[in-house]
Amino acid sequence: MTTLNRRTVLKGAAAAGVAAFAGPFTGLLNPPTVAAKPAFRDLRPVPDLRDNTVRLWVPEGFQYRSFHDTATGPITLDDTTVLPGRHDGMAAFAGPNGNVILVRNHEVNNPVPAFGPGTPYDAMAGGGTTTIEVTRFGEVVHAFTSLNGTQMNCSGGPTPWGSWITCEETVNGPDVGPDFTGVSNVPLTERHGFIFEVPAGGQSNREPITRAGRFPHEALAVDPRSGIVYMTEDNFEIPSGFYRFIPTTNPMESGHLENDGRLQMLAVRGIPNADLAVTQPMRATYHVDWVDIDDPAPTFPHTPGETAPTTNDEAIAYVGQQGFDQGAAYFSRLEGAYYDNGVIYFTSTQGGGPVEPDLHDPDQGWGNGWGQVWAYRIDAQVLQLIYQSPGPDVLDFPDNLTISPRGTIILCEDNVDDNFIRGLNRGGQLFDIALNRLAGRTNDEFAGATFSPDGHTLFVNIQARNGMTFAIWGPWERVRV
């Protein structure tokens, strides 16, 4: 049988920075173990149980089923919603009868009518979330719209109290000029660039958490001990920041996130505007401080019915610039985030390359690397690099991430060539979990990876105009995921 072998053992290197800390991924400090790769870890073509078409390559013994494939034609949900595409970030929760509840983003841009029933946040915004009850084997039981009228819902994060917080990766609104698409924002009725909470299995109140900032949100992770929300920013052309939102009311006590609190941005102690997008020594370690953002949710002056004088570039930089003016650190395109055992892990899609000559790169994006994985150790207030890609053949533009029940970081690639789901284990090995083999669409990105609460199934999306969701299961313990 044809197999594919692209697993790479990470290169060991000395720790660098102001300090070294033990942690879940201390294996990355050690020299690589040279050993033969077991054949069962090789990826191989496996037919989709939905219709026997090969859409993924996965390891030996694994199976999968796809569902909600909008390429097959209009899909109507139980509440009459015509399912949109652009399936993106997602989280899994325990459902009835051993089933799983998925809350799934749809990253739809530009002014278009909102999908689904109910009163949307903005009647002319086509993003939002759908909620699906599904078996552990990818069989849909029930599905409906849970949030509509938002825009560019990219990723987000689950909360310890049982909800999904979805992130708008935009600052569009009637008060802002056209974005990179050149399409007018005049038809929009509300400001965008916020986060929204969606209860698992229920309906969002469709009220933005504006105090958590208006910027191109990507993902977030919640510290269950304090209720503090850590958030990533994905600016394509300019540096991005890493933020935290400190709620005035602890959501661990109230059971929801209230629109009251303080937004802050990470700065490296003693190094104003530290450029963390450039190539770092492996295990580079920095003590950090946090700077306040005084105006987190701006409204820009405009005349209704006319193109706003504030450009999209000006609006998208407004919140972050407040932090950079106080010395906040520069990152390249921050994406996925996940909390695990006192640590926030997050990815930098184009981090880890040569220095950018200036603070604006509209063509290739700001950042010249192939991807980084960072760990913020909350109690120590220490930021540490745990992985940096040496090139696209090893790891190419990591985006969404999750962590398996056994502690392996799961990375979704988003590049222009073949896209993989990769695993980065505690021993410091990077290996392949799945490969996109959609006919004519092998460069469609993976997004929204999330495990069922019992660890049986990895659910993941294909983020494209024609989106779909996969349920993948098999002997995870054998491949050490």
Side-chain angles (χ1 to χ4, degrees):
M1 181 179 289
T2 303
T3 61
L4 185 74
N5 182 350
R6 282 187 34 163
R7 172 181 169 269
T8 301
V9 179
L10 305 183
K11 304 297 183 183
V18 298
F21 287 78
F25 289 83
T26 48
L28 292 169
L29 285 169
N30 302 323
T33 302
V34 179
K37 176 179 175 233
F40 59 73
R41 257 195 181 165
D42 289 340
L43 302 187
R44 61 205 68 216
V46 173
D48 188 337
L49 292 179
R50 170 164 66 98
D51 59 6
N52 215 37
T53 298
V54 172
R55 294 184 173 91
L56 300 179
W57 285 17
V58 292
E60 179 183 359
F62 280 77
Q63 294 179 294
Y64 66 91
R65 176 180 283 107
S66 64
F67 57 94
H68 282 178
D69 178 2
T70 61
T72 62
I75 296 173
T76 303
L77 306 186
D78 297 283
D79 63 351
T80 73
T81 296
V82 177
L83 184 68
R86 297 290 175 191
H87 308 12
D88 208 318
M90 184 168 63
F93 304 88
N97 304 313
N99 293 335
V100 179
I101 299 295
L102 299 174
V103 185
R104 179 182 60 202
N105 283 357
H106 297 274
E107 191 182 15
V108 180
N109 194 14
N110 298 138
V112 294
F115 68 82
T119 302
Y121 168 67
D122 182 336
M124 287 302 295
T129 64
T130 53
T131 297
I132 310 99
E133 181 185 342
V134 64
T135 72
R136 299 190 307 161
F137 303 99
E139 299 154 316
V140 175
V141 177
H142 180 57
F144 58 91
T145 291
S146 47
L147 169 67
N148 53 1
T150 53
Q151 197 175 69
M152 291 288 285
N153 296 75
C154 194
S155 190
T159 71
W161 54 90
S163 65
W164 167 251
I165 299 180
T166 181
C167 295
E168 291 187 306
E169 190 190 5
T170 183
V171 292
N172 284 339
D175 61 336
V176 176
D179 66 12
F180 63 95
T181 65
V183 176
S184 172
N185 283 327
V186 169
L188 296 175
T189 65
E190 299 286 350
R191 297 176 300 157
H192 295 272
F194 300 116
I195 63 175
F196 295 75
E197 187 166 8
V198 185
Q203 289 288 329
S204 171
N205 64 9
R206 291 156 171 79
E207 294 292 332
I209 309 298
T210 61
R211 297 298 299 173
R214 185 187 186 188
F215 58 87
H217 289 269
E218 174 72 26
L220 59 82
V222 180
D223 180 354
R225 303 165 304 171
S226 65
I228 294 175
V229 182
Y230 293 85
M231 302 177 291
T232 58
E233 177 181 41
D234 184 10
N235 272 317
F236 181 77
E237 299 182 7
I238 60 177
S240 298
F242 184 63
Y243 298 81
R244 70 178 183 184
F245 176 59
I246 305 174
T248 301
T249 301
N250 188 341
M252 297 302 298
E253 299 173 358
S254 66
H256 64 276
L257 192 62
E258 295 187 3
N259 191 19
D260 191 12
R262 182 160 42 111
L263 182 66
Q264 296 181 322
M265 199 170 177
L266 181 145
V268 172
R269 190 174 302 167
I271 310 176
N273 298 132
D275 186 353
L276 302 183
V278 301
T279 303
Q280 303 284 316
M282 182 51 68
R283 217 64 180 178
T285 306
Y286 303 95
H287 288 286
V288 308
D289 294 315
W290 295 89
V291 299
D292 289 332
I293 304 298
D294 292 331
D295 187 10
T299 298
F300 302 103
H302 71 289
T303 301
E306 298 181 7
T307 299
T310 301
T311 69
N312 212 275
D313 285 351
E314 291 169 336
I316 212 165
Y318 181 85
V319 169
Q321 193 58 51
Q322 296 176 59
F324 295 143
D325 288 345
Q326 300 175 75
Y330 297 147
F331 292 91
S332 169
R333 300 191 58 203
L334 296 186
E335 303 265 11
Y338 200 87
Y339 172 90
D340 185 56
N341 194 29
V343 181
I344 304 292
Y345 296 95
F346 61 97
T347 56
S348 168
T349 289
Q350 290 181 222
V355 65
E356 282 279 7
D358 57 43
L359 296 178
H360 186 229
D361 188 344
D363 298 321
Q364 302 299 319
W366 200 82
N368 293 314
W370 302 105
Q372 297 167 319
V373 183
W374 291 91
Y376 174 64
R377 307 190 186 284
I378 297 170
D379 293 343
Q381 292 202 88
V382 163
L383 179 69
Q384 195 166 57
L385 180 77
I386 64 169
Y387 182 65
Q388 185 167 256
S389 177
D393 58 331
V394 178
L395 178 66
D396 194 359
F397 285 15
D399 195 314
N400 284 185
L401 69 80
T402 191
I403 295 181
S404 77
R406 295 174 183 82
T408 296
I409 296 178
I410 309 300
L411 301 165
C412 295
E413 287 188 334
D414 175 14
N415 61 67
V416 298
D417 296 310
D418 291 338
N419 277 309
F420 286 77
I421 301 173
R422 313 275 196 183
L424 177 62
N425 67 22
R426 293 176 183 267
Q429 294 175 320
L430 187 73
F431 57 93
D432 304 331
I433 295 172
L435 170 63
N436 174 4
R437 293 288 88 184
L438 290 169
R441 300 171 52 192
T442 60
N443 62 346
D444 283 354
E445 68 174 283
F446 285 110
T450 182
F451 278 93
S452 59
D454 64 0
H456 175 273
T457 308
L458 176 66
F459 294 95
V460 67
N461 294 318
I462 288 292
Q463 202 282 65
R465 182 176 59 85
N466 288 320
M468 72 177 71
T469 303
F470 290 101
I472 306 170
W473 64 92
W476 297 111
E477 69 286 349
R478 188 169 67 168
V479 294
R480 298 182 181 179
V481 172

